[in-house]
Amino acid sequence: MRIACHTLGCKVNQYDTQAMLELFEEKGCQRVDFSQEADIYFINTCTVTGTGDQKSLKLIRRVHREHPQAAIVVAGCLAQRDAQRVMLPGVRLVIGVKRRAQVVELLERALAEDTVLCAVDTGGEWEFEPLRVCRHEGKTRAAMKIQEGCDRYCAYCVIPYVRGPVRSMPLEAVEAEARRLSQSGYREVVLTGIHLASYGRGMGYGLLDAIERVQNIPDIARIRLGSLEPGIVDRAWVERLRAMDKVCPQFHLSMQSGSRGVLQRMGRRYTPEQYLAAARLLQGAYPHCAITTDVLTGFPGETQEEALETEAFLRQVGFARIHVFPYSRRAGTRADAMAGQVPEEEKQRRCGRLIAIGNQLESAFVQGLVGSEQQVLFETQAEDGLWEGYTPQYARVRAQAGPGELCRVRLERAQGTVLYASKL
């Protein structure tokens, strides 16, 4: 049988898709591109925003329209949150964020019984599900999900309700999976989680211990970290991290707003001043350090003055890249019931301003790398025939190189946000 997969949302979802795909492959399924004819279409959904919901539902409908005989498997956060909503024509199995290790057996049962099976588990214990990944198709870097769940309950977010409480992959399993990936030829791993900073809570160790386990694997050359909370970053934490020379100096520090008032209403557990202090610690420890972030604009009650505070704060920090999202109402969250909902037109206007600032900051950061020597892991061939890869700061570089090559280059010029380099 042929299986085609499509993932919406975050790196954690990408990891889950790959893990479940490998279970199908172990049973003899052959992966094909999502645009090709397949017997099974696997869709891993996202529900962080209303847009994520609509994209997921639209994709399910399109797949059934184009491939009416195929079996559709719907997994992920929207499936967990609203299973009935995704039980559209063509869907044979709905599975949320539990029982993923049983996905093959559950689909086989649905097909054998000629039924639609909803295997979404909303009760019982939440444990770290022992999924594993051995490879990532067509990639030179591999994501490793080492943490699940969140207990922050920010006012705008449904994820703690969907993904459950904090739980972590045991240290020994972290090391074992990193070794498997290194044996498959991966030189770079990305440690990810829903709330990565909580890794190891209640287990007697923390995120730095997991990083050290991966650091000690000889064939792993680079370690990249997923999204971090600024509260984890203090001087002692940075000093210990700095001793691990494989860690890439690109840190995605979750921000959401640069306004103290908005952060308080969101239920975020830091102030702009605390965020800036964390960013400066990292920038001071790593030359050409890249700080990236997410910004949520148009949160209920956000005034024009507060929006301008965020704009000024972005420039003050000096981000290498920002991802901008308009606030999306989510039923069941505190923010959904808040007064002062910002009109959609105004949210889009503010998004446009923030995106423009982000583009300026990214261009300035990339230009600041010109003249430096960096290590680049080349991944894909660009349309101009050069090979393209990324520096430790996740800046895009093109040069005469080869696939999977990891080498030092001199960055000679920037064209937009792409750097051109010569090998040393």
Side-chain angles (χ1 to χ4, degrees), residues 225-244:
L225 303 180
S227 181
L228 298 172
E229 288 284 317
I232 199 175
V233 180
D234 59 24
R235 192 169 301 280
W237 193 88
V238 171
E239 287 176 358
R240 187 175 165 194
L241 187 72
R242 187 71 181 86
M244 294 179 254

Side-chain angles (χ1 to χ4, degrees), residues 148-161:
E148 256 283 20
C150 181
D151 61 0
R152 302 283 95 175
Y153 290 97
C154 296
Y156 53 84
C157 188
V158 298
I159 295 305
Y161 306 97

Side-chain angles (χ1 to χ4, degrees), residues 286-299:
Y286 293 91
H288 300 293
C289 180
I291 305 293
T292 62
T293 201
D294 300 313
V295 184
L296 188 66
T297 191
F299 187 77

Side-chain angles (χ1 to χ4, degrees), residues 384-409:
D384 57 9
L386 298 174
W387 279 85
E388 190 170 279
Y390 291 88
T391 69
Q393 298 87 353
Y394 209 66
R396 198 151 46 113
V397 176
R398 291 182 184 177
Q400 293 284 355
E405 189 173 351
L406 181 67
C407 59
R408 290 195 68 78
V409 302

Side-chain angles (χ1 to χ4, degrees), residues 20 199 247 256 295 349:
M20 286 184 275
Y199 173 83
V247 174
Q256 308 306 341
V295 184
R349 188 190 71 81

Side-chain angles (χ1 to χ4, degrees), residues 342-359:
V342 177
E344 194 62 34
E345 287 185 9
E346 179 62 16
K347 284 193 281 189
Q348 294 302 325
R349 188 190 71 81
R350 293 179 189 180
C351 270
R353 289 178 61 89
L354 293 175
I355 289 169
I357 293 170
N359 290 339

Side-chain angles (χ1 to χ4, degrees), residues 302-365:
E302 183 184 62
T303 64
Q304 183 61 33
E305 291 72 21
E306 288 171 330
L308 291 174
E309 288 173 9
T310 292
E311 292 183 12
F313 190 71
L314 293 175
R315 293 190 173 96
Q316 184 180 13
V317 175
F319 288 101
R321 189 179 303 110
I322 62 174
H323 302 287
V324 180
F325 302 92
Y327 163 72
S328 180
R329 295 182 76 162
R330 305 274 75 196
T333 62
R334 299 195 309 279
D336 185 49
M338 287 182 178
Q341 299 286 334
V342 177
E344 194 62 34
E345 287 185 9
E346 179 62 16
K347 284 193 281 189
Q348 294 302 325
R349 188 190 71 81
R350 293 179 189 180
C351 270
R353 289 178 61 89
L354 293 175
I355 289 169
I357 293 170
N359 290 339
Q360 294 167 8
L361 292 172
E362 184 174 2
S363 294
F365 180 81

Side-chain angles (χ1 to χ4, degrees), residues 35-54:
S35 62
Q36 295 179 286
E37 195 71 30
D39 303 291
I40 304 165
Y41 287 88
F42 179 95
I43 299 171
N44 203 348
T45 61
C46 175
T47 192
V48 168
T49 65
T51 300
D53 286 0
Q54 294 308 313

